[in-house]
Amino acid sequence: MKIAVLAGDGIGPEIVAQALRVLEVLKKEGMAMEFVEAPLGGQAYDAYGHPYPEFTQQVCRAADAVLLGAVGGPQYDTLDRPLRPERGLLAIRKDLGLFANLRPAVLYPELANASTLKPEVVAGLDIMIVRELTGDVYFGQPRGIRVNPETGQREGFNTMIYSESEVRRIAHVAFQIAMKRRKKLCSVDKANVLETTEFWREIVTDVAKEYPEVELTHMYVDNAAMQLIRNPKQFDVIVTGNIFGDILSDEASMLTGSIGMLASASLNESKKGLYEPSHGSAPDIAGKNLANPIATILSAAMMLRYSFDQEAAATRIENAVKKVLAAGYRTADIYEPGMKKVSCSEMGELIVAAM
Ligand code: IPM
Ligand code: MG
């Protein structure tokens, strides 16, 4: 298993270090893993003048999977747009063809009080958001900021576009995931206004014929945003486009109380994947050993499951996390009075011990 390790910016290096400790346990026991480090985002701009430099491209293309911390920081916000850390993230997604972004929102029973919603609304919550990641208004051309030749006014513009093959392949991924879960799929669109998503709905409905066991529903994105807060447990798997998925996955993450707990996987056609926490680089707490490494550790578990078919090892890591939470250990972001507050590295150490 050749794993590219991109620590990135902000808290990235701290949280990735803890995930590597966890993977080292498996390596020492004989799992054949090889780690190759490379920079991405601001870190890469500092070293190579580009957020996704040639060196990193080569390392990632040669790897079977990529483990990523986070990118971005205020010191990079004034760079030219193509050089900003976020562009590095978009570039690696596109370069590796990572079109399927899986973002689970799972509530650990121990953290039911950490949610801003009533415990009975979120208890037992287990949603999987499947977000299309390489199309839509994120990549559609033309795009830009220009002076309109007719009006003389400046304007910003982007293009929302999905091809049939792009919709089909993400729909298949979502149906296949639903088949392994509670067999309910909700496709989220804005078909009442946007042709792109009217088309999305038509194609998803067609793909559904191949999965007669899955109950498919459709929901407008504004309603979905509301239903996620009103009654989130009505959802099993949600499939949606890039921009709606970006927004709804942040919303869903907070149902669970802390974005510091949520892992993600971004997969291509051949199961190569990039695994990263759903949260950002948290520059305000970077370097202070305060960050919650659990999302990154759970991302490493997803990597074992989805890219390497190591289900037992993935479950073992997830169980170790549950055990440590059940024993009352909390990083600052999920701390409640009466619990034992620990640092980022202590949390990593506890999870390694629990394994
Ligand atoms: C995410 C992030 C990224 C996105 C940004 C950092 C480019 O918000 O992974 O959800 O919009 O996709
Ligand atoms: Mg986002």
Side-chain angles (χ1 to χ4, degrees):
M1 306 172 190
K2 214 175 199 179
I3 301 163
V5 179
L6 316 182
D9 307 319
I11 58 171
E14 303 161 55
I15 53 180
V16 164
Q18 302 314 313
L20 286 179
R21 282 172 88 175
V22 166
L23 292 174
E24 284 290 344
V25 172
L26 302 169
K27 189 176 172 179
K28 280 204 192 92
E29 291 174 358
M31 205 176 260
M33 276 189 270
E34 187 193 324
F35 303 108
V36 188
E37 289 184 31
L40 184 77
Q43 180 200 32
Y45 174 78
D46 291 339
Y48 294 92
H50 195 278
Y52 183 47
E54 188 66 37
F55 172 73
T56 305
Q57 291 174 29
Q58 279 168 11
V59 168
C60 293
R61 286 179 195 159
D64 303 310
V66 180
L67 183 65
L68 168 65
V71 299
Q75 69 270 44
Y76 306 110
D77 285 350
T78 50
L79 289 177
D80 276 355
R81 228 173 294 122
L83 297 177
R84 289 187 200 156
E86 293 75 13
R87 287 297 176 103
L89 190 56
L90 297 178
I92 192 174
R93 288 173 180 169
K94 197 69 175 176
D95 185 38
L96 302 180
L98 308 171
F99 70 94
N101 182 211
L102 317 186
R103 296 193 164 178
V106 178
L107 186 82
Y108 288 78
E110 292 84 7
L111 300 184
N113 289 319
S115 176
T116 46
L117 271 73
K118 295 193 193 92
E120 64 267 28
V121 176
V122 290
L125 184 83
D126 180 0
I127 300 176
M128 177 68 89
I129 297 192
V130 179
R131 168 188 175 195
E132 200 291 329
L133 202 59
T134 52
D136 202 355
V137 74
Y138 268 61
F139 293 94
Q141 294 289 346
R143 65 188 293 162
I145 300 172
R146 68 180 171 199
V147 177
N148 183 305
E150 272 153 40
T151 65
Q153 265 213 77
R154 291 184 75 222
E155 61 190 14
F157 58 101
N158 292 87
T159 301
M160 182 178 254
I161 183 163
Y162 267 119
S163 67
E164 179 167 348
S165 59
E166 283 176 319
V167 182
R168 273 191 195 280
R169 67 181 180 179
I170 192 71
H172 278 290
V173 169
F175 277 108
Q176 280 158 21
I177 289 173
M179 283 298 289
K180 291 189 188 157
R181 295 173 43 107
R182 301 191 298 278
K183 299 192 171 65
K184 278 173 61 177
L185 178 62
C186 180
S187 171
V188 171
D189 60 42
K190 189 71 186 174
N192 51 344
V193 178
L194 302 172
E195 286 81 358
T196 311
T197 72
E198 183 185 332
F199 178 67
W200 170 285
R201 185 180 288 218
E202 179 194 318
I203 302 302
V204 173
T205 305
D206 190 52
V207 173
K209 293 178 194 148
E210 295 174 49
Y211 303 89
E213 283 174 59
V214 177
E215 178 202 326
L216 172 68
T217 54
H218 303 275
M219 200 180 273
Y220 297 141
V221 63
D222 49 347
N223 186 24
M226 188 266 276
Q227 295 296 336
L228 269 172
I229 299 296
R230 194 186 72 86
N231 175 21
K233 282 188 269 178
Q234 69 185 283
F235 297 107
D236 176 17
V237 181
I238 292 175
V239 64
T240 190
N242 205 345
I243 184 77
F244 297 160
D246 178 44
I247 299 164
L248 293 181
S249 62
D250 263 33
E251 189 190 5
S253 75
M254 263 327 278
L255 299 172
T256 71
S258 173
I259 197 163
M261 299 290 299
L262 297 181
S264 83
S266 306
L267 307 175
N268 74 5
E269 314 251 14
S270 54
K271 287 214 166 172
K272 177 161 171 169
L274 178 143
Y275 299 84
E276 59 175 322
S278 285
H279 59 70
S281 57
D284 52 322
I285 58 164
K288 297 185 179 157
N289 200 16
L290 284 175
N292 184 349
I294 293 181
T296 317
I297 290 171
L298 292 173
S299 299
M302 282 185 99
M303 175 175 80
L304 292 168
R305 171 173 296 125
Y306 288 105
S307 283
F308 299 123
D309 279 318
Q310 298 282 347
E311 179 61 36
T315 311
R316 181 167 161 214
I317 294 172
E318 289 159 356
N319 286 340
V321 169
K322 284 183 196 155
K323 206 164 151 187
V324 170
L325 290 174
Y329 295 103
R330 302 284 187 274
T331 42
D333 57 312
I334 48 174
Y335 177 76
E336 298 166 62
M339 298 290 142
K340 292 167 257 189
K341 199 186 270 184
V342 296
S343 67
C344 177
S345 55
E346 283 166 337
M347 182 55 92
E349 221 166 275
L350 285 160
I351 292 168
V352 164
M355 284 175 72

